[in-house]
């Protein structure tokens, strides 16, 4: 069940994301993979994640991948598995470099 909670230009609100999580939870999702990161904690998203978690849904979220040491939401929530990436030397990624998965530009 692929869901895109924002516009094609990735515009929208945290409420749109919360609604997408609830929609997935209510319509048979077993796993929710969230590929966005936000440095602001939001009650609407947190409540939607708690709702999905109570239904037994496993959730993953991007840890940010921009080198920041700040908490990234929703990955920072206890009931979400935070996912980040490393380079070919297992060094934490410092920025997103699409296509640079082998340490080459």
């Amino acid at each position: 069940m692929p869901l895109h909670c924002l516009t094609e230009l990735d515009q929208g609100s945290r409420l749109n994301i919360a609604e997408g999580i609830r929609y997935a939870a209510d319509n048979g999702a077993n796993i929710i993979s969230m590929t966005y990161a936000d440095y602001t904690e939001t009650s609407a998203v947190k409540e939607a994640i708690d709702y999905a978690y109570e239904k037994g849904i496993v959730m993953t979220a991007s840890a940010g991948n921009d080198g920041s040491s700040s908490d990234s939401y929703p990955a920072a929530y206890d009931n979400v598995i935070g996912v980040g990436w490393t380079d070919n030397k297992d060094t934490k990624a410092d920025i997103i470099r699409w296509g640079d998965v082998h340490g080459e530009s």
Side-chain angles (χ1 to χ4, degrees):
M1 166 189 336
L3 298 175
H4 192 106
C5 302
L6 305 175
T7 70
E8 60 276 353
L9 300 175
D10 286 337
Q11 296 174 333
S13 69
R14 294 176 183 108
L15 184 56
N16 296 126
I17 293 166
E19 290 171 351
I21 294 166
R22 286 183 178 275
Y23 179 88
D26 288 339
N27 288 279
N30 295 312
I31 299 170
I32 298 175
S33 175
M34 298 170 276
T35 57
Y36 82 99
D38 192 345
Y39 295 108
T40 302
E41 191 171 1
T42 317
S43 62
V45 173
K46 172 73 167 107
E47 289 167 10
I49 286 170
D50 290 343
Y51 176 78
Y53 183 77
E54 288 172 11
K55 289 182 162 259
I57 297 171
V58 174
M59 291 168 282
T60 65
S62 170
N65 295 332
D66 63 0
S68 174
S69 60
S70 299
D71 285 343
S72 175
Y73 296 93
Y77 293 126
D78 290 338
N79 48 11
V80 176
I81 300 166
V83 180
W85 67 278
T86 61
D87 64 16
N88 62 336
K89 296 179 178 94
D90 204 26
T91 302
K92 180 178 130 182
D94 57 353
I95 58 170
I96 295 175
R97 293 184 305 265
W98 296 108
D100 186 18
V101 295
H102 300 292
E104 304 165 0
S105 297

